[in-house]
Amino acid sequence: MSVEAARAADVLTQLSGEVRLLTLAELVRRGREGASVGELRWALDLPLAKVGDACARLVALGVATGSGDGYYRARLEGLREAAVAVDQQQPISRLLGEYPQLRGNFSHGRLTALPPTLSERYQLLGELLVRFLALDGLYSEDEINHRLAEVTDDVAAVRRMLVDTGWLERDRAGTTYGPARPVSAVR
């Protein structure tokens, strides 16, 4: 795990604490004005020490800022940075950078929607997924499903799409799959 991914995991873990999450939500609600620990304590109806600890942790995580005037403000860029770090750890991310027109079909490294069947993007998606699979021989349906499950929830539809577009070849029994045509290593 990279340093960035570990940091992102820490941000998400720390935000799972109810008081920290409530405090961040209240800071977001208050916008640029921010709030003091006393104001947050009153708005959240929580002990001052808990709110003060939550503010300190949020600042340490980079999702809030504290100023010399005693006011805290939300810094949502810290959440965006954590999300980007998590996205970069997804197995398809490296290849997806070479297919910018397909980014809208993915969310956080997961295929969320197939492009229209007759579109150029449908063929491009097939190429991208076959490159991701990196097939060098014959594989059982379970092995193909396992690999596809890393990037999609609907492995059957995606497997079928790969066969229909001619990127994946299936034997007559429908149990063994292999590459149907060569794909370039670099696009």
Side-chain angles (χ1 to χ4, degrees):
M1 180 183 286
S2 72
V3 173
E4 294 83 12
R7 173 145 171 58
D10 186 44
V11 168
L12 297 174
T13 300
Q14 292 289 329
L15 286 178
S16 68
E18 183 182 11
V19 174
R20 288 184 290 274
L21 192 56
L22 288 171
T23 303
L24 181 60
E26 183 63 22
L27 289 173
V28 168
R29 190 184 75 71
R30 296 207 178 210
R32 284 189 229 179
E33 298 298 314
S36 69
V37 174
E39 291 170 336
L40 290 168
R41 179 234 153 305
W42 183 81
L44 299 173
D45 194 27
L46 292 169
L48 189 64
K50 283 190 176 190
V51 174
D53 179 64
C55 288
R57 287 181 187 253
L58 292 173
V59 169
L61 290 171
V63 297
T65 60
S67 60
D69 62 0
Y71 274 75
Y72 292 88
R73 291 164 187 83
R75 182 183 168 275
L76 296 181
E77 296 83 21
L79 289 176
R80 286 186 202 95
E81 291 161 4
V84 166
V86 169
D87 283 352
Q88 290 173 344
Q89 295 300 309
Q90 299 305 317
I92 196 104
S93 293
R94 180 183 55 80
L95 289 172
L96 193 55
E98 299 172 31
Y99 296 84
Q101 62 274 53
L102 295 174
R103 288 186 191 269
N105 297 90
F106 287 82
S107 177
H108 305 295
R110 305 286 298 167
L111 180 63
T112 57
L114 292 174
T117 308
L118 298 177
S119 71
E120 178 184 317
R121 289 185 306 144
Y122 197 70
Q123 283 291 327
L124 283 175
L125 180 61
E127 180 181 319
L128 167 68
L129 292 172
V130 165
R131 286 185 62 203
F132 169 74
L133 292 173
L135 302 175
D136 58 0
L138 298 177
Y139 296 85
S140 71
E141 185 173 303
D142 284 344
E143 290 170 315
I144 297 292
N145 289 348
H146 180 72
R147 287 182 178 198
L148 287 174
E150 292 182 54
V151 295
T152 184
D153 294 328
D154 194 351
V155 294
V158 171
R159 189 183 64 243
R160 193 170 31 258
M161 183 268 301
L162 290 171
V163 171
D164 292 346
T165 56
W167 286 106
L168 198 60
E169 192 169 8
R170 174 177 56 208
D171 69 355
R172 287 182 182 245
T175 59
T176 305
Y177 295 81
R181 56 180 159 162
V183 62
S184 63
V186 178
R187 189 163 159 44

